[in-house]
């Protein structure tokens, strides 16, 4: 087994680690074990010269812990005899979950395994020899997937408070009726009573007897309220008119 001193930059979970100097192993045919963040080199017999007729080499590579790691291939050089279905010279990469057969310039560059194990088998026939291959096999930890337990938030039942109904007692402001009773202004005019002197209904006129010298005039008795006026009897020729006494009006 050849050992080549190289400078390796380890990358863990996307974080650039400090470079370290160590021996990079070029694997012989057979089984090998490696650790995460390490790489190994596989190459065809006699590389970088052409491989020989009827060469056969098989590698079995395991990275521990196998269940939590995976392998990835990078092949900067790959040149085998081209044939239909790769029936002549070929490189077969087998891993849990699949198998790939490569020839010509169709390299396994970029192949990723499902876990930390692979088997690589090289075969050549006696027709055409080519330069061969040189591939790096990296081991990485699988990305850690943390599945958060579903968070079930049970909301406390919401208690709807009974609606508070504040019924304000109706405010009835009954204004005391303002009754302005104006004192009735009664202007009682002193009755102006002009009492006419009572009219003396003359006695019924009769045919006077022969005129005689009248007796001396006497003061008539006080005037009394005349009786209700009645329809006077038919007018007869009145006796000679006598001058009534002066009537003084009453106040």
């Amino acid at each position: 087994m050849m050992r080549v001193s190289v400078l390796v930059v380890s990358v863990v979970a996307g974080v650039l680690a400090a470079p370290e100097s160590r021996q990079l192993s070029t694997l012989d045919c057979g089984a090998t074990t490696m650790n995460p963040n390490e790489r190994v080199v596989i190459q065809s017999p006699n590389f970088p010269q052409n491989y020989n007729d009827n060469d056969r080499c098989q590698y079995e590579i395991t990275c521990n812990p196998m269940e939590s790691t995976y392998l990835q291939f990078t092949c900067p050089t790959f040149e085998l005899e081209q044939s239909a279905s790769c029936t002549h010279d070929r490189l077969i990469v087998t891993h849990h979950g699949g198998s790939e057969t490569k020839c010509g310039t169709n390299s396994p560059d970029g192949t990723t395994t499902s876990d930390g194990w692979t088997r690589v088998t090289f075969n050549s026939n006696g027709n055409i020899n080519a330069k061969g291959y040189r591939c790096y096999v990296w081991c990485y930890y699988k990305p850690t997937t943390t599945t958060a337990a579903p968070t079930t938030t049970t909301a406390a039942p919401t208690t709807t408070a009974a609606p508070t109904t504040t019924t304000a007692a109706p405010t009835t402001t009954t204004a005391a009726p303002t009754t302005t009773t104006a004192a009735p202004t009664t202007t009682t005019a002193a009755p102006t009573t002009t009492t006419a002197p009572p009219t003396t209904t003359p006695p019924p006129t009769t045919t006077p007897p022969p005129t005689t010298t009248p007796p001396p005039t006497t003061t008539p008795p006080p005037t009394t309220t005349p009786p209700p006026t009645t329809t006077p009897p038919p007018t007869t020729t009145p006796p000679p008119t006598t001058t009534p006494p002066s009537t003084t009006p009453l106040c």
Side-chain angles (χ1 to χ4, degrees), residues 56-247:
R56 186 179 188 279
C57 182
Q58 187 175 78
Y59 315 90
E60 186 168 334
I61 303 170
T62 303
C63 182
N64 290 319
M66 186 175 66
E67 294 79 7
S68 57
T69 58
Y70 67 96
L71 303 174
Q72 189 173 66
F73 286 75
T74 302
C75 300
T77 303
F78 193 89
E79 185 180 339
L80 303 182
E81 178 187 3
Q82 179 66 50
S83 60
S85 301
C86 298
T87 55
H88 295 170
D89 302 345
R90 60 188 177 273
L91 184 73
I92 304 172
V93 179
T94 303
H95 52 88
H96 293 143
S99 178
E100 303 173 12
T101 300
K102 306 293 183 177
C103 64
T105 57
N106 180 25
S107 77
D109 188 76
T111 297
T112 300
T113 63
S114 59
D115 57 17
W117 178 88
T118 188
R119 179 185 295 122
V120 181
T121 305
F122 170 67
N123 286 295
S124 67
N125 63 7
N127 293 336
I128 299 174
N129 299 333
K131 187 174 183 177
Y133 59 87
R134 180 177 173 85
C135 296
Y136 300 97
V137 182
W138 282 93
C139 176
Y140 297 110
Y141 279 109
K142 291 180 180 179
T144 302
T145 304
T146 303
T147 304
T151 303
T152 304
T153 304
T154 304
T158 303
T159 303
T160 304
T164 303
T165 305
T166 304
T167 305
T171 304
T172 306
T173 304
T174 306
T178 303
T179 306
T180 304
T181 305
T185 304
T186 306
T187 304
T188 306
T192 303
T193 305
T194 303
T195 305
T199 304
T200 303
T201 303
T205 304
T206 58
T207 303
T211 302
T212 59
T213 303
T217 301
T218 58
T219 302
T223 304
T224 58
T225 303
T229 304
T230 58
T231 304
T235 304
T236 57
T237 303
T241 302
T242 59
T243 301
S246 297
T247 303

